[in-house]
């Protein structure tokens, strides 16, 4: 059967594609109670919002960090809804000049929530303007150039900035310090993703049994956006096959067809592991050699496949190159030879993930590469 949805981006990519953007609005939880998981962030945020409601003031500025697809935009929308305030959405890359930011800030209304996605990608002058706006609710608009330039102070109404970033480490300290609350979103457990899927299936009017939810959740890489995307593919498959009630077998068959395996690995992930094991006896092998073996650019292997493989403990990055772990051999149904096991660096799993990932891309390499 041909693929009814030829994908440009991999089905398991955490960033939103145009189809996601079109459909996500309908699936986003509208209040904190419907927001699944992230208990700690939810509890703390709920307190921040309640306190500001009691004080009758706009809420403290909120910084949300974490990988794409975990609910940062959704939380920003919930904050605005819970505060009964309008929401303005922009992003770091859209604010390249201080003037761009001044235009947004000067048109905010009292109590408005300003959501700045990818806030780490804002230009330096805009960032500096934001410091003053966040702290004192005013900005200096510079008119003219050179020695004749003058600063005209502009008072702003109180507003709440919600900044989102996939790369909290790239945020300058002075900016980070100006947020009253910082929440870091973690990957979701399979059980939490089942709840996300249950809610989405209900909204999409699908009949799905519990085992099927578990099957899809297990392949969703801890990410609600991926879970919802896989659910849509399963829905299409069931429609084409005339299946009314989706069970684990149908869900599994559908996702097998899309080449997303039981652990959420896609074709590229598996071909990286297969090459590493069958062509290089499990490694270590350098990134560029590995990339040639799978017919991809080194950057694709490093930024698209590796972060999840490392997170899952299937691939290790050592100073001598990439290695397949015992779990990777097992996942491919192979037994790791004794001599390979004996040569494995002993401390591989005692190393923090950020060290395993290497310093050139850091822990944040689960983030999309900056364009
Ligand atoms: P981010 O801004 O972090 O990339 P989004 O907020 O856009 O992620 O979330 C992506 C999709 O995942 C949204 O459509 C939303 O419906 C869903 N989602 C994310 N987090 C949750 C959650 N905690 N509960 C239910 N659905 C969620």
């Amino acid at each position: 059967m041909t693929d009814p949805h030829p994908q440009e981006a991999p089905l398991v990519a955490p960033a939103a594609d145009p189809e996601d953007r079109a459909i996500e609005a309908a699936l986003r939880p509208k209040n904190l109670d419907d927001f699944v998981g992230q208990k700690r962030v939810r509890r703390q945020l709920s307190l921040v919002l309640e306190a500001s409601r009691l004080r009758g003031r706009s809420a403290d500025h909120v910084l949300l960090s974490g990988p794409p697809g975990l609910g940062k935009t959704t939380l920003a929308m919930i904050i605005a809804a819970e505060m009964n305030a309008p929401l303005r959405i922009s992003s770091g890359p859209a604010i390249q000049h201080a003037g761009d930011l001044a235009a947004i800030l000067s048109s905010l209304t009292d109590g408005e929530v300003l959501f700045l996605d990818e806030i780490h990608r804002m230009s330096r002058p805009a960032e500096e303007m934001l410091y003053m706006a966040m702290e004192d609710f005013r900005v200096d608009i510079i008119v003219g150039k050179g020695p004749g330039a003058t600063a005209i102070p502009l008072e702003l109404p109180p507003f709440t900035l919600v900044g989102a970033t996939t790369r909290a480490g790239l945020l300058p300290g002075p900016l980070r310090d100006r947020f009253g609350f910082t929440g870091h979103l973690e990957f979701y457990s399979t059980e939490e993703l089942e709840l996300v899927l249950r809610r989405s299936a209900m909204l999409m009017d699908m009949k799905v049994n519990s085992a099927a939810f578990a099957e899809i959740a297990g392949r969703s890489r801890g990410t609600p956006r991926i879970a919802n995307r896989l659910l849509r593919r399963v829905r299409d498959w069931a429609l084409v096959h005339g299946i009314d009630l989706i069970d684990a077998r149908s869900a599994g068959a559908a996702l097998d067809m899309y080449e997303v395996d039981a652990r959420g690995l896609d074709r590229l992930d598996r071909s990286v592991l297969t090459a590493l094991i069958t062509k290089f006896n499990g490694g270590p092998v350098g990134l560029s050699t590995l990339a040639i073996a799978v017919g991809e650019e080194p950057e694709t292997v490093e930024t698209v496949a590796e972060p999840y493989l490392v997170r899952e403990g299937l691939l290790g990055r050592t100073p001598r190159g990439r290695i397949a772990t015992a779990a990777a051999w097992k996942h491919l149904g192979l037994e790791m030879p004794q001599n390979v096991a004996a040569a494995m660096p002993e401390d591989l799993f005692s190393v923090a993930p950020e060290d395993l990932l290497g310093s050139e891309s850091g822990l944040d390499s689960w983030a999309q590469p900056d364009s």
Side-chain angles (χ1 to χ4, degrees), residues 24 27-29 34-37 67-75 188 196 199 224-225 228:
E24 277 179 356
L27 298 181
R28 281 185 209 283
D34 283 348
F35 191 86
V36 173
L70 298 195
K72 298 183 292 299
T73 308
T74 307
L75 275 179
Y188 291 67
V196 171
R199 188 177 164 277
R225 172 173 291 130
N228 283 337

Side-chain angles (χ1 to χ4, degrees), residues 23-276:
I23 204 152
E24 277 179 356
L27 298 181
R28 281 185 209 283
K30 304 276 186 286
N31 52 53
L32 270 185
D33 289 338
D34 283 348
F35 191 86
V36 173
Q38 311 293 347
K39 223 160 147 192
R40 194 161 39 92
V41 171
R42 212 153 29 98
R43 234 185 4 228
Q44 294 169 345
L45 196 54
S46 160
L47 202 83
V48 169
L49 299 181
E50 182 61 26
S52 65
R53 267 194 299 261
L54 290 173
R55 288 200 318 258
R57 305 223 336 239
S58 61
D60 275 355
H61 303 303
V62 173
L63 178 65
L64 300 170
S65 69
L70 298 195
K72 298 183 292 299
T73 308
T74 307
L75 275 179
M77 292 177 171
I78 290 176
I79 291 171
E82 299 256 340
M83 294 305 293
N84 220 351
L87 174 72
R88 183 84 56 97
I89 297 181
S90 190
S91 72
I95 300 175
Q96 281 318 304
H97 307 284
D100 300 334
L101 182 64
I104 296 174
L105 292 173
S106 60
S107 63
L108 290 176
T109 55
D110 201 352
E112 192 156 353
V113 174
L114 170 61
F115 176 56
L116 289 185
D117 200 5
E118 298 186 77
I119 194 167
H120 60 276
R121 291 177 62 190
M122 211 166 37
S123 73
R124 191 78 216 188
E127 204 174 87
E128 277 163 14
M129 175 180 274
L130 195 57
Y131 295 163
M132 196 194 272
M134 290 171 79
E135 206 154 85
D136 303 329
F137 296 115
R138 68 183 182 89
V139 288
D140 282 338
I141 309 275
I142 310 291
V143 181
K145 279 200 168 106
T150 41
I152 301 176
L154 178 71
E155 294 292 323
L156 303 172
F159 67 96
T160 298
L161 176 69
V162 180
T165 180
T166 50
R167 321 274 303 251
L170 292 187
L171 227 54
L175 180 55
R176 227 174 322 161
D177 294 345
R178 283 171 168 79
F179 287 96
F181 171 76
T182 299
H184 180 73
L185 303 192
E186 309 279 351
F187 287 106
Y188 291 67
S189 68
T190 309
E191 293 71 28
E192 289 168 340
L193 288 178
E194 284 175 42
L195 293 177
V196 171
L197 286 165
R198 224 172 253 283
R199 188 177 164 277
S200 301
M202 199 182 66
L203 292 170
M204 289 161 69
D205 217 7
M206 291 171 67
K207 279 194 233 159
V208 185
N209 76 14
S210 299
F213 284 130
E215 184 69 40
I216 303 168
R219 301 184 188 217
S220 301
R221 300 162 83 117
T223 307
R225 172 173 291 130
I226 298 176
N228 283 337
R229 196 185 292 146
L230 297 187
L231 182 68
R232 295 201 297 277
R233 295 291 80 85
V234 169
R235 176 195 57 186
D236 295 347
W237 186 93
L239 186 70
V240 169
H241 288 78
I243 288 168
D244 185 38
L245 173 70
I246 297 165
D247 60 11
R249 249 187 66 201
S250 320
L255 296 178
D256 285 347
M257 196 205 88
Y258 285 105
E259 301 186 291
V260 177
D261 75 15
R263 202 162 172 169
L265 270 56
D266 71 357
R267 185 160 37 146
L268 174 64
D269 301 324
R270 276 191 310 276
S271 62
V272 167
L273 292 184
T274 306
L276 197 46

Side-chain angles (χ1 to χ4, degrees), residues 328-350:
W329 288 77
K330 192 162 169 225
H331 186 67
L332 296 184
L334 302 166
E335 197 163 329
M336 190 183 220
Q338 283 289 327
N339 62 332
V340 175
M344 284 279 282
E346 265 176 29
D347 58 350
L348 186 61
F349 299 109
S350 61

